[in-house]
Amino acid sequence: MRILRYVRAGLLAAAVSAAMLLNACGEIPEQYAYDEEAPSLREAYADYFKVGAAINSWNLEDPESPEYKTIAKQFSVLTLENESKPENLHPEEDRYYFDKFDLFVDFCEDHDISPRGHTLLWHTQVPDWFFRDNGHDASAELVLSRIKEHVTTIVSRYKGRVKTWDVVNEVIGDDGPLRQSEWLRLVGDYDGDGDDYDYIETAFIAAHEADPDARLIINDYSLETSSSKAIRMYNAVKKMLDDGVPISGVGFQMHIGNGVDLDAMRENYRIISRLRDDYPEFVIEVTELDVNCYPWNAPPADVEVTKELLEQFSKTYTDVFTLFKELSEDGLLDSVVMWGLHDGVSWLNNGHSNYPMLITKELKLKPAFYDVIKLAE
Ligand code: XIL
């Protein structure tokens, strides 16, 4: 093991310094993410955590395509960006479409990659039939029985194969304890115990019954920047755990901006990691990392990739990977997923070209990629 680690460090150093030579004049190095000699994120971070990306099933169709080769070389965990969401998997009450998810899980197994399931419940990308009954609001009983059927069918199909599920996504409110959603409105405090977590609890219990070994995640955004939201997450999860709900961990989406306050971020991770005081097995996952080089809602324009932006961008990535290493060393974090394969396919390109990923739209490695690799040495 020690020797292997040593050899790997040597290979990494060679790959990084070759890239640095190419990069001496400040240009983006001419190395592609799928090049055999290029460094690999999954190898570099093998002693810390799995590294992954959100992809789409069409990336997995042609083994000769640059996307396919990049995925197989760079990543040890993968998420489907959209194809495993309720609207795609279960668009009608009595009809499931599993073909894309099946292909995805097969690919992962063939490449020693861990597949994540994203997401069993969400307030968006969910078909309306969940909430309706003959043109009226569905009763709480009906919504809960649909949740149970939906979760049980999907999780049991992939029992033992999909080891991690985002069971619910974005359920914590931005101001109140829970997000206002159709799930919440229709189910409410069904069991009368004074909290409104009932639809969430039903989903976690059904997932656990379908696959008792699966890791079950409650996933959300802005936990790393908003301490009040992190506290709301802590309170909700603590109450549910105390009530016996089988939640294994919190997913930090990590859709961040270019430039972070690392100390503040570390504090927010600490709020969630306090769940370990009572639940020593509790984990954190990073589920959707990307670095938006625009303020939210900025008018459409392309990012101008200046020297300052590149420097800041590398610093942002190395800052957060520094934190991930610390969390991994504390035994809290073993999976980091980025939200997209490369700049060209990021969801952040709405109306303009953004620059959020470690890989360019031509699949070239950015300077920040090499900095992140170096950090693992
Ligand atoms: C996004 C996808 O990337 C887009 O293609 C889609 O149009 C909308 O959803 N938080 C999540 C992800 O949990 O599922 C979202 O993915 C991004 C924000």
PDB file of all heavy atoms in Angstrom, residues 81-82 85 118-119 122 125 169-170 219 253 255 288 339 347, ligand 1:
ATOM      1  N   GLU A  81     -27.484  13.425 -14.313  1.00  0.00           N
ATOM      2  CA  GLU A  81     -27.859  14.830 -14.098  1.00  0.00           C
ATOM      3  C   GLU A  81     -29.377  15.008 -14.026  1.00  0.00           C
ATOM      4  O   GLU A  81     -29.871  15.818 -13.230  1.00  0.00           O
ATOM      5  CB  GLU A  81     -27.274  15.696 -15.216  1.00  0.00           C
ATOM      6  CG  GLU A  81     -27.548  17.170 -15.011  1.00  0.00           C
ATOM      7  CD  GLU A  81     -26.896  18.053 -16.054  1.00  0.00           C
ATOM      8  OE1 GLU A  81     -26.349  17.521 -17.047  1.00  0.00           O
ATOM      9  OE2 GLU A  81     -26.956  19.284 -15.881  1.00  0.00           O
ATOM     10  N   ASN A  82     -30.125  14.312 -14.875  1.00  0.00           N
ATOM     11  CA  ASN A  82     -31.584  14.462 -14.901  1.00  0.00           C
ATOM     12  C   ASN A  82     -32.348  13.152 -15.021  1.00  0.00           C
ATOM     13  O   ASN A  82     -33.519  13.086 -14.663  1.00  0.00           O
ATOM     14  CB  ASN A  82     -31.998  15.353 -16.098  1.00  0.00           C
ATOM     15  CG  ASN A  82     -31.623  16.807 -15.878  1.00  0.00           C
ATOM     16  OD1 ASN A  82     -32.072  17.434 -14.924  1.00  0.00           O
ATOM     17  ND2 ASN A  82     -30.771  17.348 -16.740  1.00  0.00           N
ATOM     18  N   LYS A  85     -34.444  11.484 -12.165  1.00  0.00           N
ATOM     19  CA  LYS A  85     -35.382  12.296 -11.388  1.00  0.00           C
ATOM     20  C   LYS A  85     -36.811  11.801 -11.627  1.00  0.00           C
ATOM     21  O   LYS A  85     -37.080  11.188 -12.666  1.00  0.00           O
ATOM     22  CB  LYS A  85     -35.239  13.763 -11.794  1.00  0.00           C
ATOM     23  CG  LYS A  85     -33.907  14.354 -11.327  1.00  0.00           C
ATOM     24  CD  LYS A  85     -33.672  15.757 -11.849  1.00  0.00           C
ATOM     25  CE  LYS A  85     -32.356  16.311 -11.333  1.00  0.00           C
ATOM     26  NZ  LYS A  85     -31.962  17.571 -12.013  1.00  0.00           N
ATOM     27  N   HIS A 118     -30.108  10.013  -7.810  1.00  0.00           N
ATOM     28  CA  HIS A 118     -30.511  11.418  -7.589  1.00  0.00           C
ATOM     29  C   HIS A 118     -31.749  11.698  -8.428  1.00  0.00           C
ATOM     30  O   HIS A 118     -31.660  11.652  -9.628  1.00  0.00           O
ATOM     31  CB  HIS A 118     -29.372  12.341  -8.015  1.00  0.00           C
ATOM     32  CG  HIS A 118     -29.706  13.800  -7.962  1.00  0.00           C
ATOM     33  ND1 HIS A 118     -29.640  14.535  -6.808  1.00  0.00           N
ATOM     34  CD2 HIS A 118     -30.112  14.676  -8.924  1.00  0.00           C
ATOM     35  CE1 HIS A 118     -29.961  15.797  -7.064  1.00  0.00           C
ATOM     36  NE2 HIS A 118     -30.258  15.904  -8.346  1.00  0.00           N
ATOM     37  N   THR A 119     -32.830  11.978  -7.888  1.00  0.00           N
ATOM     38  CA  THR A 119     -33.195  12.062  -6.487  1.00  0.00           C
ATOM     39  C   THR A 119     -34.586  11.471  -6.341  1.00  0.00           C
ATOM     40  O   THR A 119     -35.403  11.633  -7.256  1.00  0.00           O
ATOM     41  CB  THR A 119     -33.141  13.517  -5.974  1.00  0.00           C
ATOM     42  OG1 THR A 119     -33.767  13.659  -4.709  1.00  0.00           O
ATOM     43  CG2 THR A 119     -33.828  14.497  -6.928  1.00  0.00           C
ATOM     44  N   TRP A 122     -38.330  15.432  -4.980  1.00  0.00           N
ATOM     45  CA  TRP A 122     -37.923  16.831  -5.136  1.00  0.00           C
ATOM     46  C   TRP A 122     -39.188  17.640  -5.391  1.00  0.00           C
ATOM     47  O   TRP A 122     -40.204  17.081  -5.800  1.00  0.00           O
ATOM     48  CB  TRP A 122     -36.942  16.936  -6.325  1.00  0.00           C
ATOM     49  CG  TRP A 122     -36.115  18.206  -6.367  1.00  0.00           C
ATOM     50  CD1 TRP A 122     -35.949  19.114  -5.364  1.00  0.00           C
ATOM     51  CD2 TRP A 122     -35.341  18.679  -7.477  1.00  0.00           C
ATOM     52  NE1 TRP A 122     -35.115  20.114  -5.785  1.00  0.00           N
ATOM     53  CE2 TRP A 122     -34.729  19.885  -7.069  1.00  0.00           C
ATOM     54  CE3 TRP A 122     -35.105  18.213  -8.772  1.00  0.00           C
ATOM     55  CZ2 TRP A 122     -33.907  20.628  -7.913  1.00  0.00           C
ATOM     56  CZ3 TRP A 122     -34.290  18.945  -9.607  1.00  0.00           C
ATOM     57  CH2 TRP A 122     -33.681  20.137  -9.181  1.00  0.00           C
ATOM     58  N   GLN A 125     -39.118  19.119 -11.156  1.00  0.00           N
ATOM     59  CA  GLN A 125     -38.892  17.929 -11.992  1.00  0.00           C
ATOM     60  C   GLN A 125     -39.626  16.714 -11.398  1.00  0.00           C
ATOM     61  O   GLN A 125     -39.106  15.600 -11.362  1.00  0.00           O
ATOM     62  CB  GLN A 125     -37.393  17.658 -12.181  1.00  0.00           C
ATOM     63  CG  GLN A 125     -36.719  18.781 -13.014  1.00  0.00           C
ATOM     64  CD  GLN A 125     -35.270  18.491 -13.355  1.00  0.00           C
ATOM     65  OE1 GLN A 125     -34.383  18.647 -12.511  1.00  0.00           O
ATOM     66  NE2 GLN A 125     -35.019  18.085 -14.589  1.00  0.00           N
ATOM     67  N   ASN A 169     -34.513  16.094  -1.822  1.00  0.00           N
ATOM     68  CA  ASN A 169     -33.650  17.159  -2.318  1.00  0.00           C
ATOM     69  C   ASN A 169     -34.267  18.518  -2.011  1.00  0.00           C
ATOM     70  O   ASN A 169     -35.458  18.730  -2.295  1.00  0.00           O
ATOM     71  CB  ASN A 169     -33.524  16.982  -3.845  1.00  0.00           C
ATOM     72  CG  ASN A 169     -32.384  17.782  -4.447  1.00  0.00           C
ATOM     73  OD1 ASN A 169     -31.389  18.060  -3.774  1.00  0.00           O
ATOM     74  ND2 ASN A 169     -32.511  18.152  -5.710  1.00  0.00           N
ATOM     75  N   GLU A 170     -33.496  19.398  -1.402  1.00  0.00           N
ATOM     76  CA  GLU A 170     -33.893  20.806  -1.196  1.00  0.00           C
ATOM     77  C   GLU A 170     -35.192  20.951  -0.411  1.00  0.00           C
ATOM     78  O   GLU A 170     -36.079  21.703  -0.787  1.00  0.00           O
ATOM     79  CB  GLU A 170     -33.993  21.520  -2.546  1.00  0.00           C
ATOM     80  CG  GLU A 170     -32.693  21.425  -3.331  1.00  0.00           C
ATOM     81  CD  GLU A 170     -32.717  22.150  -4.667  1.00  0.00           C
ATOM     82  OE1 GLU A 170     -33.813  22.556  -5.114  1.00  0.00           O
ATOM     83  OE2 GLU A 170     -31.644  22.316  -5.267  1.00  0.00           O
ATOM     84  N   ASN A 219     -30.287  16.079   0.838  1.00  0.00           N
ATOM     85  CA  ASN A 219     -29.388  16.900   0.013  1.00  0.00           C
ATOM     86  C   ASN A 219     -29.912  18.330  -0.090  1.00  0.00           C
ATOM     87  O   ASN A 219     -31.117  18.523  -0.260  1.00  0.00           O
ATOM     88  CB  ASN A 219     -29.357  16.251  -1.396  1.00  0.00           C
ATOM     89  CG  ASN A 219     -28.260  16.772  -2.285  1.00  0.00           C
ATOM     90  OD1 ASN A 219     -27.126  16.916  -1.846  1.00  0.00           O
ATOM     91  ND2 ASN A 219     -28.589  17.040  -3.544  1.00  0.00           N
ATOM     92  N   GLN A 253     -24.687  20.418  -1.631  1.00  0.00           N
ATOM     93  CA  GLN A 253     -24.614  20.546  -3.098  1.00  0.00           C
ATOM     94  C   GLN A 253     -23.350  21.296  -3.523  1.00  0.00           C
ATOM     95  O   GLN A 253     -22.694  20.911  -4.475  1.00  0.00           O
ATOM     96  CB  GLN A 253     -25.852  21.267  -3.631  1.00  0.00           C
ATOM     97  CG  GLN A 253     -27.139  20.457  -3.512  1.00  0.00           C
ATOM     98  CD  GLN A 253     -28.318  21.121  -4.205  1.00  0.00           C
ATOM     99  OE1 GLN A 253     -28.214  22.224  -4.751  1.00  0.00           O
ATOM    100  NE2 GLN A 253     -29.466  20.455  -4.175  1.00  0.00           N
ATOM    101  N   HIS A 255     -22.991  24.510  -4.867  1.00  0.00           N
ATOM    102  CA  HIS A 255     -22.990  25.404  -6.030  1.00  0.00           C
ATOM    103  C   HIS A 255     -22.450  26.739  -5.514  1.00  0.00           C
ATOM    104  O   HIS A 255     -23.189  27.533  -4.933  1.00  0.00           O
ATOM    105  CB  HIS A 255     -24.407  25.556  -6.586  1.00  0.00           C
ATOM    106  CG  HIS A 255     -24.954  24.277  -7.124  1.00  0.00           C
ATOM    107  ND1 HIS A 255     -24.413  23.663  -8.235  1.00  0.00           N
ATOM    108  CD2 HIS A 255     -25.958  23.483  -6.698  1.00  0.00           C
ATOM    109  CE1 HIS A 255     -25.083  22.538  -8.476  1.00  0.00           C
ATOM    110  NE2 HIS A 255     -26.016  22.408  -7.550  1.00  0.00           N
ATOM    111  N   GLU A 288     -22.747  18.268  -5.625  1.00  0.00           N
ATOM    112  CA  GLU A 288     -22.997  18.982  -6.884  1.00  0.00           C
ATOM    113  C   GLU A 288     -22.043  20.165  -7.070  1.00  0.00           C
ATOM    114  O   GLU A 288     -22.442  21.242  -7.523  1.00  0.00           O
ATOM    115  CB  GLU A 288     -24.447  19.491  -6.928  1.00  0.00           C
ATOM    116  CG  GLU A 288     -25.479  18.418  -6.658  1.00  0.00           C
ATOM    117  CD  GLU A 288     -26.926  18.882  -6.809  1.00  0.00           C
ATOM    118  OE1 GLU A 288     -27.156  19.968  -7.367  1.00  0.00           O
ATOM    119  OE2 GLU A 288     -27.812  18.146  -6.362  1.00  0.00           O
ATOM    120  N   TRP A 339     -20.843  19.021 -10.584  1.00  0.00           N
ATOM    121  CA  TRP A 339     -22.122  19.010 -11.312  1.00  0.00           C
ATOM    122  C   TRP A 339     -21.923  19.306 -12.800  1.00  0.00           C
ATOM    123  O   TRP A 339     -22.242  20.363 -13.294  1.00  0.00           O
ATOM    124  CB  TRP A 339     -23.134  19.978 -10.674  1.00  0.00           C
ATOM    125  CG  TRP A 339     -24.533  19.567 -11.030  1.00  0.00           C
ATOM    126  CD1 TRP A 339     -25.416  20.246 -11.832  1.00  0.00           C
ATOM    127  CD2 TRP A 339     -25.219  18.367 -10.622  1.00  0.00           C
ATOM    128  NE1 TRP A 339     -26.583  19.537 -11.949  1.00  0.00           N
ATOM    129  CE2 TRP A 339     -26.491  18.384 -11.212  1.00  0.00           C
ATOM    130  CE3 TRP A 339     -24.859  17.285  -9.828  1.00  0.00           C
ATOM    131  CZ2 TRP A 339     -27.427  17.353 -11.028  1.00  0.00           C
ATOM    132  CZ3 TRP A 339     -25.781  16.258  -9.648  1.00  0.00           C
ATOM    133  CH2 TRP A 339     -27.045  16.308 -10.249  1.00  0.00           C
ATOM    134  N   TRP A 347     -25.042  23.250 -16.375  1.00  0.00           N
ATOM    135  CA  TRP A 347     -26.358  23.917 -16.253  1.00  0.00           C
ATOM    136  C   TRP A 347     -26.201  25.412 -16.022  1.00  0.00           C
ATOM    137  O   TRP A 347     -27.159  26.161 -16.142  1.00  0.00           O
ATOM    138  CB  TRP A 347     -27.156  23.275 -15.118  1.00  0.00           C
ATOM    139  CG  TRP A 347     -26.677  23.638 -13.724  1.00  0.00           C
ATOM    140  CD1 TRP A 347     -25.415  23.500 -13.235  1.00  0.00           C
ATOM    141  CD2 TRP A 347     -27.454  24.206 -12.665  1.00  0.00           C
ATOM    142  NE1 TRP A 347     -25.348  23.927 -11.925  1.00  0.00           N
ATOM    143  CE2 TRP A 347     -26.585  24.359 -11.543  1.00  0.00           C
ATOM    144  CE3 TRP A 347     -28.785  24.575 -12.538  1.00  0.00           C
ATOM    145  CZ2 TRP A 347     -27.023  24.889 -10.332  1.00  0.00           C
ATOM    146  CZ3 TRP A 347     -29.211  25.101 -11.315  1.00  0.00           C
ATOM    147  CH2 TRP A 347     -28.335  25.256 -10.238  1.00  0.00           C
TER     148      TRP A 347
HETATM  149  C1  XIL B   1     -30.317  20.692 -12.775  1.00  0.00           C
HETATM  150  C2  XIL B   1     -29.793  20.116 -14.090  1.00  0.00           C
HETATM  151  O1  XIL B   1     -28.400  20.299 -14.125  1.00  0.00           O
HETATM  152  C3  XIL B   1     -30.448  20.836 -15.247  1.00  0.00           C
HETATM  153  O2  XIL B   1     -30.081  20.229 -16.482  1.00  0.00           O
HETATM  154  C4  XIL B   1     -31.987  20.800 -15.100  1.00  0.00           C
HETATM  155  O3  XIL B   1     -32.574  21.568 -16.114  1.00  0.00           O
HETATM  156  C5  XIL B   1     -32.400  21.334 -13.744  1.00  0.00           C
HETATM  157  O4  XIL B   1     -31.731  20.616 -12.724  1.00  0.00           O
HETATM  158  N1  XIL B   1     -29.766  21.173  -7.735  1.00  0.00           N
HETATM  159  C6  XIL B   1     -30.001  19.842  -8.015  1.00  0.00           C
HETATM  160  C7  XIL B   1     -29.836  19.332  -9.400  1.00  0.00           C
HETATM  161  O5  XIL B   1     -30.207  19.055  -7.079  1.00  0.00           O
HETATM  162  O6  XIL B   1     -30.696  18.255  -9.666  1.00  0.00           O
HETATM  163  C8  XIL B   1     -30.056  20.441 -10.410  1.00  0.00           C
HETATM  164  O7  XIL B   1     -29.797  19.927 -11.706  1.00  0.00           O
HETATM  165  C9  XIL B   1     -29.158  21.610 -10.086  1.00  0.00           C
HETATM  166  C10 XIL B   1     -29.519  22.172  -8.725  1.00  0.00           C
END
